[in-house]
Amino acid sequence: MSLSVHDFAAFHAAVHGRPAFGWQQRLLEQIVAARAWPKVLDLPTGAGKTTCIDIALFALALDAQVSPERWCPRRIAMVVDRRIVVDQVAERGRKLLRALLAPGAKPVVGEVARRLRSLSSDGEEPLGVFTLRGGMPKDDGWARAPDQPLIIASTVDQLGSRLLIQGYGVSRGMKPVHAGLLGNDTLVLLDEVHLSQPFAETLDALDRLRRRFAQSLSTRFQHAFLSATPGESEATRFRLDEAETAPDAPLGPRLHASKRVRLLDAPDRPGLERACAIEACTMIARHDVVAVIVNRVASAAAVALQVRQLAGAEVDVVVLTGRMRPLDRDDVLRTLRPRVMTGRERVAGQRKLVVVGTQCLEAGADFDFDALVTEAAAFDALRQRFGRVDRLGIYGKSEGVIVRDKGAKDDPVYGDALPRTFAWLKERLDKKTRQIDFGILALPAPDENVRGELLAPKAHAPVLLPAYLDLWMQTSTSPPLVPDVSLWLHGPTSGPADVQVVWRADLTEHDLAAGPDAPASGDPVAIVATVRPSSIEAITLPFLAARRWLCVESVGDIADVEGAAVPADGEPSAGRRALRWNGDESEVITASQLRPGDTIVVPASRGGIRDGCFDGDSAATVTDLAERAALLGRGQPVLRLHPAILKQLDLALPLDDPAAARAELATVAAETERTSWRRSWCAALAVGKGLLTVEGAPPWSMLQGARIHPGELRSLLQPDEVLEDGIELTTDEDDSFHAGRAVSLAVHSADVERLARDFATAAGLPGDLVDDLALAGWLHDVGKADRRFQLLLRGGSEIDLLRDETPWAKSSMPPGARALHRLAETRSGYPKGGRHEVQSAAMLEAHVGAKAHEPDLVLYLVSSHHGHCRPFAPVVFDDKPVEVQLAGHRSARFGVADLGPVSSDHRLHRLDAPLPDRFWNLVEKYGWQELCWLEALLRLADHRASELEQRGGAR
C-alpha cells in the first residue's frame, strides 16, 4: 500500500489506542516537507513530546523507498539526563516494536514495518530498541549492524562521550565504531535541554565544525532540542499554535488545570526531611497517590523511613532514584506503573501510595500524581516537578507544598537560584489563600530581567576546537594528555565520569585479597568472566562517591543528576578492593587506583543497596542479578551451580550432578508462570548441553543453554520487561579469531566483502567508496597467511597444519578458553602482540593500487579493522621474521590476488612508517566522525560475518 503523512493518525491510533494531537501531525508534515527537524521544539509539560520518537520513525518509513536520496536518519536517539526517563523512552520504543511485530496488525502498521525492514539486512527485525547505559566492554548489541533502524534511549554521558570518540566504558578498539554510528545517519533529540546546556552547545559546535571541515559525505546527522521550560530565545522554534492551547482543545485540560501550592520553611535539612514526611502523611489522607521529591539521594531514604513510621502499614511507600540497578528499577515500576502512570484507572478501595524520589522524577517521566511535596529548587525544576501532578487535568483536586531548608546558605545543585525562586514565589502568593497556582498556563514566566536568576545555573561548554577532536580521534595509541570530554558534556565545573558498580555473590573478599599473607582463593577475573557483567545489573555512582565507599568512608549527599560535581577530598586510603572489569584485561584494584568511567565488581556480601537504591551504609547482602541480566541483556541462559547463587534464586539443585540439576530445572519451568523470565530461563537450561567449570576454590560448574533469539524471548516475557539484544561481539579482542568453529580465509573474506558492500550501499555511500569498502573486506585478513599464525589457529599443532594447509581465518578453539589460547601462542612461535592486520597492510602496499579507487583508504581500513593504527601501529619485535605470502586469493568481483612474499619484520610501527600520515590525510579529507563511520561499516561487516560463521551459516 502507499504511505503518506496523512496516515500517521491511523498509525498512532493503532499503536497507542488514541489519536495523535494536532501539533504531532503538524510537526510530521513540517519535517517531511523541509527534510529537516526544527532546531527547538518548545512544548509544555504533558504535551506528549515523547511522540517525537513515533514521528521520526514514521518519517523514516516514508523515506525508506527513496534510496539513495534518503534524508531521514535511521537511528533515533532520545537523550535526557534522567535515568528513569531514559528507561521510559526505551519502553515506548519496545511498545512500537511490539506493534510492528504483532500478527494481524492493521495495514498501516504492517506497511511501516515492511518499509523499515527494507532498510536492513534480511532476517533483521524492523526496529531495534536499546538503552545506552553505563559502558561495559563488549556490551555492544546496539552496534551490531549499521543498517537496522534503531530507537536509542540514552543519558548525555553515554551518548555524548561516544559521539566525541571517547565512549565511557567502551573498549579502546570500539570507540571509533560507536562514534561512527552515532555521528552519522542519526537523529539526536535532546530532551529537557535546560538540563543539558553544555551538551547542547557542544552539539551545535560539532555541527559547525563538521560543516566546515567534513563535506565529502552526506551523513544524515541531525539534532533537535526539546524543552518545556523558559530559556533563551531560539531563532527556529516549533510551538503549539493558539487553537491548540484553547481550553476546549484536546490539550486544553492539561494546560489549564489548576495546581494550588503552599510554601513552607524548615530550619535545617533534618527539619526539611521531617516536614516533607509530615506533609506527605497529611496529604495522603485526602489523595490516593502523593509524591515527595527531594534533591539528595540520602534525603529520599530518610523521608521514606519517616513516612513509613508516621503512616503505618496502611500506606505503601516506594523509593525511586536514579541510583538504582535498571533491573531493580524495573521490578519497582512493574508494580508501581498501574498506580502512577498517566491515564491510570482509579480503583475504589486501592491502597494509598507515597512515592519518594529525587530529580529523576522531575523531567519527562510519565507519572501522574494527585499531590506533591517537593524540596525547593530552581524555577525551571519546580515547573517540571509540578508537571507530574494531574497531568491530564481531569483530577481537579491536586495540591502541593514546597519546603525550603532555611538554614542552607548555598545549594550545590541549584546555587542561588533556589532561594531567589522561593522569594519570587513568596511575593506572588495569593493574599487570602497564601497559595500560588502552578498550573502550566496559570503560572506566568518570570520577566526577562529576573528570569536568569531563577533558573538552575547553566554551565557552558568550553569552545570546541578541531585540535580537541584530533586528540580524541587518536585512540591507538592515545596521546599522553587527552582533554576530559566531561567538560563538553556538563561544563567546566562538572565532576569526573561516573563509575558503574556490579555485585556478585560468587565473588568473595578473599578472592580479591592479595599478598603473601592473604593469598587469593580463586581467580577473580575468571569468576566474574563466567557471566560477563551487564549494564542492566549495575548502579551508576559519582566517581568520588564510589571511591569513598571503597574507602569505607561516608559517601555524603549524592545529587541525582549526571555530571554533578562532588567536593574533592584528599588522597584516598587503600580501602577495600574491587575488580576493575575490562574483559581479559580486568584487574584487582584499590580505591586509590579507581578511575573515572570504571566498571567495578564487588562481593554481594559487601552490601550497599537498601530499598533498591544505593546506600553506602547498608551492610545487607545484595542480590546477584547476573543470571537474569545475561538472559534479558543477551538472550543467554546461564546458571552458576554455586551455593550462594542457588540460595538467592531459591533453587534447591545438586551442585555435583548437572544432569539431575537440569531435570529439576525442567520441573521448576513447568510450575512457573509463563510470562516470568524464570520460566524461559529454566526451560532453556533444562534442555541445554553446555557446561563450564569455574576456577574457584573449590571449582564449581555453570550450566549453559542455547542463546534465545530476542524475538522468541520477547514473546515469552511481560510486555514491559527489559529486553535488549546485547550480543557479544567476537572481533574486538586479541583472541577474536578463536570462534569455536574453523572457517577458511577464503570463506571469511568473501563473507566480509559481501557484507561490507551491503552495508556501504545501505549507508548511501558513492559507488567508488562502496567498491573500496568491499575491497578492504576481501583483503582485510590476508596477513593471517603467516605460517605461524596458521599454527596458532590450529592450537600450535604442526601435524594438523600438515594435514590441511588451507589458510584459515578462524580457529575451532572456543573463545574464552584462555589457557588453550596461551598454549597455542607459545607453540606457534607467533610474536607476542603480533597484529595480523598490520601484516595485511604490509602485504598490500604494492598491490592494492591496481584495484582501489583510493588506495590509502583501503590500506587504512585494513590496518585499523581491530581498532589499532589510529594513528600508530603497536610496537612488535619479531625476533625470527618469516616471509609471508598468499597465492590465489580469489574474489568473484575483484579477481585473483597473489600477495607477497613480504617479510613479517615490516617495521610499520616506526614513527616514519606511512600509517600516521595516511591516517591524518584521511581525517582531513573525510572528517572525524565520518572516517569513524567508514571504519564502522567495515568492522561491523567483519563482526557480522564472524557471528554468522560461528553459528554455522551465512546470510
Side-chain angles (χ1 to χ4, degrees), residues 74 159 325 402 621 725 733 766 842 909:
R74 58 167 31 94
L159 183 134
R325 295 183 292 185
I402 301 172
T621 299
D725 187 5
E733 305 290 342
H909 58 264

Side-chain angles (χ1 to χ4, degrees), residues 80-88 192 195 292-297 300 318-324 329 333 336 355-367 369 381 384-385 388 414 558-562 613:
V80 62
D81 262 3
R82 295 293 184 266
R83 293 176 183 87
I84 282 182
V85 184
V86 167
D87 290 337
Q88 291 189 356
E192 311 299 354
L195 301 174
V292 182
I293 299 180
V294 289
N295 300 342
R296 304 286 187 279
V297 174
V318 174
V319 183
L320 277 176
T321 76
R323 308 300 177 181
M324 303 176 74
R329 187 159 56 237
L333 289 175
L336 192 63
V355 179
V356 184
T358 56
Q359 292 97 334
C360 70
L361 298 180
E362 78 182 26
D366 194 18
F367 296 146
F369 305 116
Q384 289 293 335
R385 294 178 187 186
R388 311 307 124 198
Y414 302 106
I558 301 176
D560 208 357
V561 294
E562 280 201 338
C613 304

Side-chain angles (χ1 to χ4, degrees), residues 277-334:
I278 292 173
E279 289 291 333
C281 291
T282 301
M283 287 183 179
I284 201 63
R286 300 189 292 270
H287 306 281
D288 295 331
V289 181
V290 173
V292 182
I293 299 180
V294 289
N295 300 342
R296 304 286 187 279
V297 174
S299 291
V303 171
L305 178 62
Q306 294 183 51
V307 171
R308 290 190 179 105
Q309 293 170 344
L310 293 171
E314 300 304 313
V315 176
D316 294 333
V317 180
V318 174
V319 183
L320 277 176
T321 76
R323 308 300 177 181
M324 303 176 74
R325 295 183 292 185
L327 288 175
D328 287 336
R329 187 159 56 237
D330 288 342
D331 289 340
V332 173
L333 289 175
R334 188 169 300 109

Side-chain angles (χ1 to χ4, degrees), residues 11 28 30 32 190 433 471 504 581 745 933 950:
F11 175 76
L28 173 66
Q30 176 177 321
V32 170
L190 182 57
T433 64
L471 289 168
R504 288 296 172 86
W581 175 251
L745 180 59
W933 191 27
Q950 191 170 346

Side-chain angles (χ1 to χ4, degrees), residues 78 106 137 279 430 665 864 916:
M78 181 164 274
K106 292 189 176 181
E279 289 291 333
D430 184 277
L665 286 168
S864 66

Side-chain angles (χ1 to χ4, degrees), residues 616-635:
D617 297 327
S618 174
T621 299
V622 175
T623 302
D624 184 329
L625 299 177
E627 272 77 8
R628 185 176 169 196
L631 181 74
L632 301 180
R634 303 186 183 100

